[in-house]
Amino acid sequence: MKSKPIVMDHFSTIHSSFIVNFTFKNNITILMGDSGTGKTAAFSFIRECMAVNSKILCLNYLDFQKDIKNIISNTEGKLIVIDNADILLDDATRKYISLDDRNQYLIIGRNPKNLFTTKENLFELISKNVGEQTEFTIKEYL
């Protein structure tokens, strides 16, 4: 499944000694990787931007008790960033996301099951030192 991003092509923020610099190629970006690679750190920096950027909605394990499908089905025109998606998303919500044409998604987790994933949607987090800072970018997984 390859479709152009409908909310933003690029997201960037600086947080103390970290830079998040993501370029999106698809409407659904699935960010995979091992524990300890910085995925949740990148999520937390994006979440901080939610307070000043109305186009961002972040969800994670703290939202476990909420009806995630209802939240996203009542949302339009946002980059919805979901951390710990393996835990948070049930199959019905995953299917809804894969067909949603009103929002853009950054799904962070290890299991892309039922998201109609193709290699164009799978990405991994890359970190590199840039002077005194660490920059997070994403690159195609395969």
Side-chain angles (χ1 to χ4, degrees):
M1 169 188 295
K2 186 170 185 177
S3 59
K4 295 188 182 267
I6 62 172
V7 177
M8 63 180 73
D9 295 325
H10 186 260
F11 173 83
S12 183
T13 187
I14 298 173
H15 177 82
S16 61
S17 60
F18 293 93
I19 301 167
V20 177
N21 193 11
F22 291 175
T23 299
F24 300 109
K25 298 180 180 180
N26 303 297
N27 200 46
I28 298 176
T29 301
I30 301 170
L31 185 58
M32 300 178 59
D34 293 331
S35 293
T37 57
K39 297 182 309 293
T40 297
F43 171 84
S44 68
F45 303 143
I46 296 169
R47 187 179 189 118
E48 287 180 7
C49 293
M50 190 171 69
V52 294
N53 187 336
S54 63
K55 290 187 176 189
I56 298 173
L57 172 64
C58 293
L59 303 165
N60 69 359
Y61 70 94
L62 297 173
D63 301 302
F64 184 72
Q65 299 295 327
K66 297 178 183 174
D67 184 350
I68 301 300
K69 185 177 176 192
N70 187 48
I71 291 169
I72 62 177
S73 66
N74 288 309
T75 301
E76 185 171 351
K78 294 196 184 274
L79 170 66
I80 300 175
V81 184
I82 304 171
D83 192 22
N84 304 112
D86 318 24
I87 300 165
L88 204 56
L89 302 179
D90 61 23
D91 285 346
T93 305
R94 290 170 187 242
K95 288 178 183 176
Y96 179 86
I97 288 169
S98 68
L99 300 171
D100 185 5
D101 62 356
R102 301 178 317 142
N103 296 292
Q104 181 178 337
Y105 292 88
L106 173 59
I107 309 288
I108 303 170
R110 297 180 193 201
N111 183 0
K113 177 184 159 201
N114 289 336
L115 286 168
F116 302 120
T117 305
T118 65
K119 69 177 189 158
E120 288 88 9
N121 296 88
L122 293 175
F123 288 80
E124 64 181 317
L125 189 69
I126 303 298
S127 62
K128 66 178 179 180
N129 291 333
V130 179
E132 304 260 333
Q133 296 177 306
T134 300
E135 180 180 28
F136 292 127
T137 58
I138 56 175
K139 79 168 194 166
E140 292 179 1
Y141 187 71
L142 302 173

